[in-house]
Amino acid sequence: MTVNMTKGQAISLQKKDGGSLTAVRMGLGWQAAPRRGLFGSRTREVDLDASAVLFADKQPVDVVFFRHLVSDDGSVRHTGDNLVGGVGQGGDDEAILVDLSRVPVHIDQIVFTVNSFTGQTFQEVQNAFCRLVDETNGQELARYTLAGGGQYTAQIMAKVHRSGPGWTMTALGNPANGRTFQDLMPAILPVL
C-alpha cells in the first residue's frame, strides 16, 4: 500500500514483519507542461536530473548523478540520464537504487535532489513526482507529488536517514535554484 506523502512527512522503512528494507529505488517522473502559443499549445522537452548526495555527520562524502552513476562504495546506483521525461507516462524517468544493507555505517543521510540541467523552471513541468519502491518486490511504499510549478529550477525532494537500527524517509519538497547538485548544497544543508 502506497503512502501519499505531504511535505515534511516521514515514514519508517521498517517492514510490517519487523524486518528492515534492504534495497529501495527512488524513482523520479515528470512531463513537460504544454504551453499555449499563437498556434495552439506545444511542449518543450525538459531535462530534469536526479541526484543522491550521501552525508556523514552533515558533511557530503559522495554523490550519485548522471556523470557519476555509482557511489564509491557501490551501495547507491543511478540507472541513467533521461533528457526529456514523460517516457513512462507515470513511470520512473530516472531512478536511483540504494542497497541499504551495503550503505557504510558512517553514512547517516542520503538526500535526493532534482534539478533542471537546462535551467527551465518547474512552471514548464507537470505531473512530477518522486516515489520510494521496495526493490525486492517492486511494491511502491511512498509517493511525493510536486504540486504546481514555480519559478525555481530545482527541488530538494526527500531524504533517507538512519533512525535507530533502520532507516526513515522524509518528504522535503523544498524549492531551490541551481543546474547541478553542487549549486544546491546551500539549500540542502539546512534540511540535514
Side-chain angles (χ1 to χ4, degrees):
M1 181 172 144
T2 299
V3 174
N4 287 315
M5 299 183 74
T6 58
K7 185 174 180 170
Q9 183 179 5
I11 62 164
S12 171
L13 299 186
Q14 296 288 85
K15 289 186 175 185
K16 290 180 183 175
D17 65 7
S20 294
L21 292 171
T22 56
V24 295
R25 175 179 29 153
M26 181 64 70
L28 166 67
W30 75 93
Q31 294 174 322
R35 295 182 357 177
R36 296 175 62 75
L38 184 60
F39 301 107
S41 65
R42 61 184 173 85
T43 58
R44 185 174 138 208
E45 294 176 347
V46 177
D47 179 11
L48 296 184
D49 292 319
S51 302
V53 185
L54 289 71
F55 287 89
D57 196 28
K58 298 187 179 187
Q59 296 297 316
V61 295
D62 201 354
V63 66
V64 173
F65 70 115
F66 70 92
R67 288 189 179 145
H68 185 243
L69 294 175
V70 180
S71 62
D72 293 339
D73 59 52
S75 66
V76 181
R77 184 171 51 92
H78 195 296
T79 60
D81 196 13
N82 179 319
L83 302 176
V84 297
V87 171
Q89 300 297 318
D92 299 336
D93 294 311
E94 289 195 12
I96 297 175
L97 308 171
V98 182
D99 184 342
L100 295 169
S101 64
R102 290 185 54 204
V103 174
V105 69
H106 70 285
I107 302 294
D108 54 9
Q109 298 185 69
I110 302 171
V111 177
F112 297 93
T113 66
V114 178
N115 56 274
S116 171
F117 188 72
T118 51
Q120 294 156 291
T121 69
F122 274 74
Q123 286 182 318
E124 298 181 55
V125 175
Q126 68 181 10
N127 302 324
F129 66 87
C130 77
R131 67 187 191 125
L132 190 72
V133 176
D134 181 342
E135 195 61 15
T136 61
N137 62 17
Q139 179 184 2
E140 183 175 284
L141 304 168
R143 177 179 287 259
Y144 178 64
T145 303
L146 293 172
Q151 286 294 329
Y152 47 87
T153 59
Q155 283 262 336
I156 313 304
M157 293 292 287
K159 69 178 178 177
V160 174
H161 50 99
R162 291 191 190 271
S163 179
W167 293 84
T168 297
M169 176 189 170
T170 302
L172 299 169
N174 293 349
N177 282 298
R179 293 182 52 236
T180 66
F181 74 89
Q182 294 102 325
D183 297 340
L184 304 179
M185 291 308 288
I188 293 172
L189 295 177
V191 303
L192 298 177

